[in-house]
Amino acid sequence: ITTAKLNDLTDVDYAMAWSLVDYFITQRNAEWRNLIAGCGKANNFRYPFIVAFGTDKQRELAGRAMKEKNERGLSDVYRQVCVNVEGDWRKWAKKRWRAAYRDPSKAVLETPFTPISRQGDQAAEEGEEKDKKKKKRRRRR
């Protein structure tokens, strides 16, 4: 997924991409933040991805490739990092969604955020009853 071209992606690939982003945000948040911060400083995506998710040796090779302007060397290191990251993601996805895959009715669906409760929600219901009474009085006058 991480090495595919945008025009080559299918609907299944898009779903997998959303799962990959979910994995980054929930399981590897620090690296995800480093990737986003690095994208603003670099002129390509591969180098920040390697810096965020790669090993020290891979970072060193990528840095050397960037200095030498070796696109092929950078792409090779990027593919290695992608293979490792996607392998970790696949393990997580199988573990995370195993129950849902076996029996979709037993899937535990978690919302990505908690809805904000407003202070006036309960008071609004009480206030609506008062407003109805006031409206009736206004109509009688």
Side-chain angles (χ1 to χ4, degrees), residues 49-97:
F49 191 85
I50 294 167
V51 170
F53 294 102
T55 63
D56 290 337
K57 175 125 174 116
Q58 290 168 332
R59 288 184 194 111
E60 180 184 334
L61 291 171
R64 201 174 315 141
M66 286 291 287
K67 285 180 186 174
E68 297 171 359
K69 297 183 180 179
N70 181 359
E71 289 294 317
R72 182 174 177 152
L74 185 63
S75 293
D76 291 343
V77 175
Y78 175 69
R79 275 192 223 97
Q80 292 171 3
V81 174
C82 288
V83 167
N84 294 339
V85 169
E86 286 190 19
D88 294 342
W89 162 72
R90 286 181 191 279
K91 289 176 191 172
W92 171 81
K94 284 180 183 177
K95 182 179 175 185
R96 170 76 171 87
W97 300 109

Side-chain angles (χ1 to χ4, degrees), residues 2 8 17 20-21 27 32 34-35 41 63 78 91 115 127:
T2 52
D8 297 337
L20 189 62
V21 170
Q27 304 301 310
W32 172 254
N34 290 339
L35 172 64
K41 298 174 186 172
Y78 175 69
K91 289 176 191 172

